[in-house]
């Protein structure tokens, strides 16, 4: 069967993909940080009192960065399966976190470059039901990030992938 259409528009990126090659600070694997739970790429994370890394799940938790999509040790350590869960780090594996730099994330709302983003700490109704993602419109479950500045550096007309600049304090 012949191919009848070609899409010339490549996606801007995917959740957890580094947005450029500029200077950045990546932490985690060297410090032997490990995931307390499955952590999908491109989500805001915090450090628990146990020293393990977890998704942001409550207002006021300090953001230490955003989980990066990497494959430093091979696919046995990083799950790239599309189902049943989104790609990310399985529990109890080393992970890398961007603490300063530019990264692609999923924004739940339309954003304009320069907009500060909020972090989803509790699930709302679909499609705003993914903890650790980002949004612009204040609402139930969205909180200003504690311990970090997260600002859009690209624009999206609706919910979708956007590049953000992360700077943890």
């Amino acid at each position: 069967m012949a191919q009848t259409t070609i899409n010339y528009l490549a996606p801007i990126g995917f959740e957890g993909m580094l947005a450029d090659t500029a200077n950045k600070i990546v932490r985690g694997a060297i410090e032997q940080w490990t995931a307390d739970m499955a952590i999908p790429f491109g989500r805001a994370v915090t450090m628990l009192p146990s020293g393990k890394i977890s998704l942001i799940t409550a207002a006021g938790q300090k953001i230490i960065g955003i989980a990066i999509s990497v494959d430093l040790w091979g696919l046995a350590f990083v799950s790239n399966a599309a189902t049943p869960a989104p790609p990310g780090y399985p529990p109890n594996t080393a992970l890398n976190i961007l603490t300063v730099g530019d990264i692609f994330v999923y924004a739940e709302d339309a954003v304009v470059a320069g907009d500060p983003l909020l972090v989803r700490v509790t699930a709302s109704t679909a499609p705003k039901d993914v903890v650790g993602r980002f949004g612009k419109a204040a609402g139930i479950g969205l909180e200003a990030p504690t311990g970090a500045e997260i600002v859009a550096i690209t624009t999206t007309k609706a919910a979708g992938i956007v590049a953000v600049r992360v700077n943890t304090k």
Side-chain angles (χ1 to χ4, degrees):
M1 182 170 164
Q3 181 174 348
T4 58
T5 60
I6 298 173
N7 183 356
Y8 291 103
L9 301 174
I12 186 172
F14 56 88
E15 287 183 279
M17 179 178 156
L18 294 174
D20 62 23
T21 57
N23 290 337
K24 57 188 67 38
I25 299 174
V26 176
R27 300 184 62 199
I30 293 173
E31 287 101 347
Q32 297 181 351
W33 288 353
T34 57
D36 179 62
M37 58 184 356
I39 297 180
F41 302 138
R43 308 290 167 80
V45 295
T46 189
M47 183 176 285
L48 300 173
S50 67
K52 292 213 173 200
I53 306 302
S54 172
L55 290 172
I56 297 287
T57 57
Q61 284 182 316
K62 183 177 181 185
I63 294 175
I64 60 167
I66 298 176
I68 299 174
S69 171
V70 293
D71 186 15
L72 296 178
W73 302 285
L75 295 178
F77 289 91
V78 180
S79 170
N80 286 314
T83 56
Y89 297 99
N92 300 311
T93 57
L95 72 162
N96 284 310
I97 299 162
L98 181 72
T99 59
V100 175
D102 301 342
I103 190 169
F104 290 107
V105 299
Y106 186 88
E108 298 175 343
D109 312 292
V111 297
V112 175
D115 285 345
L117 295 183
L118 305 172
V119 177
R120 175 146 312 279
V121 296
T122 56
S124 185
T125 56
K128 299 182 178 188
D129 59 346
V130 181
V131 173
R133 279 189 169 164
F134 303 87
K136 175 183 164 187
I140 296 172
L142 278 175
E143 300 286 337
T146 300
E149 294 174 347
I150 301 171
V151 178
I153 57 174
T154 60
T155 298
T156 180
K157 294 180 181 179
I161 299 295
V162 63
V164 298
R165 180 154 294 139
V166 179
N167 187 10
T168 58
K169 301 174 186 175

